[in-house]
Amino acid sequence: MNLNLFGYEISEKFKDSERFDIVIFKYPDDESRLFIKRVIGLPGEVVEIKDGKVYIDGSPTSLDDSFIPEKMIGSYGPYTVPENCYFMLGDNRNDSKDSRSWKNKFVRFDQIVGKAVVRYYPSFKWLG
């Protein structure tokens, strides 16, 4: 599927990414490639996926994932997110190559190059 987006470059004004932001970043296993994924785990948090649901810091309540197109399958982690790093998941989680499958599991702040703000194909949608 082709996906066309507009994004903006990260500056000091937008220093910290927040959970659920969709960001463009240098792929941790090959920084010559750009990836786009959703921020799930923030610096210092523990992310665990149990039966397809994402939990942060041992919370009994999973994150809201109502935006993903199908229920995620599987259990992963726990992953402790280092300082100045983020844990990423794709929205098509059953087919996504994301933090769960990378050799270098986390995206450093300095690898983030922008935030996606609008998708214009296949349909127009504000993301930020």
Side-chain angles (χ1 to χ4, degrees):
M1 177 177 94
N2 288 334
L3 180 67
N4 295 308
L5 317 155
F6 286 114
Y8 61 84
E9 188 173 339
I10 297 287
S11 67
E12 285 301 310
K13 180 178 173 185
F14 303 106
K15 185 175 179 185
D16 295 319
S17 293
E18 297 178 6
R19 189 176 340 277
F20 302 124
D21 282 352
I22 299 172
V23 297
I24 304 158
F25 56 91
K26 295 176 183 175
Y27 174 45
D29 292 341
D30 177 359
E31 290 195 25
S32 69
R33 298 172 59 194
L34 292 179
F35 270 38
I36 183 166
K37 302 288 178 197
R38 192 177 293 272
V39 173
I40 297 297
L42 303 175
E45 292 183 334
V46 176
V47 178
E48 188 166 12
I49 301 166
K50 298 178 190 173
D51 298 321
K53 294 288 187 182
V54 180
Y55 297 88
I56 303 296
D57 291 337
S59 172
T61 305
S62 65
L63 294 181
D64 176 18
D65 64 359
S66 58
F67 52 85
I68 64 174
E70 63 184 17
K71 181 181 178 344
M72 182 171 46
I73 298 168
S75 297
Y76 306 88
Y79 305 100
T80 300
V81 183
E83 289 304 313
N84 206 34
C85 293
Y86 301 94
F87 184 88
M88 306 294 196
L89 290 177
D91 285 358
N92 295 306
R93 302 214 172 135
N94 294 322
D95 296 314
S96 182
K97 302 298 182 218
D98 50 37
S99 286
R100 296 169 293 166
S101 62
W102 302 334
K103 178 181 175 189
N104 297 298
K105 300 277 183 219
F106 308 101
V107 173
R108 295 185 322 268
F109 171 75
D110 65 344
Q111 292 171 311
I112 297 175
V113 297
K115 290 186 182 182
V117 292
V118 66
R119 179 186 73 200
Y120 64 91
Y121 181 84
S123 63
F124 185 84
K125 180 180 180 182
W126 287 104
L127 302 173

